[in-house]
Amino acid sequence: HKRAFVLEIMGRTCGYLALAAGIACEASVIFIPEDPPAGDWRQYLCDNLMEKSKSGESRRTHIVLVAEGAVDREGNPIKCNDVQKVLSDQMKMDVRVTVLGHVQRGGNASAFDRLLGSRMGAEAVLALMDAAPTTPACVICLDGSDIVRVPLLKAVQRTRRVAELMAERKFDEVVQLRGRPIVKNLIIYEKQVKVIPHPSLVGSSRKKFYRLAMIHVGQPACGMNAVARGFVSVCISKGYQPHFIYNSWEGLTLGKVKPITWNEVHHWTSEGGSLLGTSVETAYKIGLRSIATRLNEFDISGLIIVGGFEAFQSAYEIAKGREMYQELCIPIIVVPAAIANNVPGCNMSIGCDTAINQICKACDELKQSAFSIQRCVFIVEVGGDNCGCLATLSGIASGADCAFIKEEPFTVRDVQSACSRIKNKQEFSGVKQGLIIRNENSNFNITTDFMYRLFNEEGKPFCTA
């Protein structure tokens, strides 16, 4: 079907929801209040979809997201019905319109929102305790990955200034005032929505270009494929030729290197795992000599390694091997992707949030499955190797009574103490259920089975595991 779906997204005069959702779902066109298209938006819409067809994009279905406060450069509103009419009359498309409305407020809270709410709630209490009678009111905000306090007056003034600039149609200033999330997401969107091959890659002007390659190393993690899609879009736009190395280092030594076009990475953003194939074997184990030979054979000018600790180790081994093999003297970039979040140099690695979401979902279903049971305790073992990040964050997000991790040594007495607290809570507070999160390598002797038996014994007669 040659069909287009037009969705109206909530947000009033703020286009953050539509912009972020559009990037995540690979929308063809996004209309937001802060960044109206130059000129006639109708012509912009048609030209955009026609350019995608001319450039060889294979998609026949398009998604257009419209923020409810979207306007053109003259301040006139852009509505879903207007978009539908343009696509039907000028593009001859079958168009379906969906106004999501308040369904966007539904559903269970994601792990990120649970953690953010917990951190903000705690910071709000600390802010109250730190305040004096004359302390100005403040707003608890997220700045990057940090929870900060912003004076209320400053926040209100900034919000009012945005409204004034919108009325004056100074959209560039509006974008800057909205802050880094809008600015950075707009840059990403503009690079991905119109992936036009650089002149150096097409026609008679074709000249010497750089070949950049991407390889996945280590355990698979959700988000790896989204990295690959972003890599391809920027490479093509900047005049570089993107290559994928399939099946990690072993695939490289076997010559499984392939140039990639933009058409081949459609719908990769939402795919889990690694479509390139990955392995836990490092570069040194496979053989630096073979790797160097293949990189030279395929004329690779730069290498991006996506993965966990094995990716870091491989990059280090290649850097050390440059003394012996000149072919390894190319730029190397590592993108951290590990659900355990146990790699150095980053606060949150790719795949970690999805893993926490899955743990929270499992814990929610466990609680719901035993809702009618009077008193019980669930002991959940989570992955993460020797890193307690998954156990700690999922424990906060799922409302666990306790999380046992390797970074904080514990004894049998600590487990007994946790059992006593849950037992007293169930006996005197009317709470039916308890939840314990345990990291898989938190303690060699105090295993999950040991905790299960201990809770069944010590919890009698008020709770069972």
Side-chain angles (χ1 to χ4, degrees), residues 127-177:
L128 284 176
M129 295 300 101
D130 293 341
T134 58
T135 302
C138 68
V139 182
I140 306 301
C141 301
L142 180 68
D143 183 11
S145 59
D146 299 323
I147 302 296
V148 298
R149 305 172 190 177
V150 177
L152 177 61
L153 183 59
K154 179 181 178 181
V156 172
Q157 289 175 341
R158 189 168 182 170
T159 301
R160 288 179 176 175
R161 182 58 181 158
V162 168
E164 293 171 359
L165 291 172
M166 289 284 291
E168 297 170 7
R169 301 172 193 166
K170 296 180 179 179
F171 297 108
D172 292 337
E173 295 183 40
V174 171
V175 170
Q176 295 301 321
L177 205 55

Side-chain angles (χ1 to χ4, degrees), residues 8 12-13 31-33 36-37 39-42 66-84 86 166 169 171:
E8 181 179 283
R12 299 187 66 180
T13 58
F31 292 106
I32 62 173
D40 183 10
W41 67 265
R42 300 169 184 83
V66 183
E68 61 178 341
V71 294
D72 61 15
R73 287 282 169 177
E74 301 303 318
N76 301 313
I78 301 175
K79 298 297 183 182
C80 286
N81 291 336
D82 300 330
V83 176
Q84 180 186 26
V86 171
M166 289 284 291
R169 301 172 193 166
F171 297 108

Side-chain angles (χ1 to χ4, degrees), residues 27 30 126 133 143 199 292 296 301-302 309 316 350 353 374 446:
I30 306 172
L126 297 176
D143 183 11
N296 182 62
S301 306
F309 185 78
Y316 173 76
I350 295 170
D353 184 61
Q374 289 302 313
I446 304 177

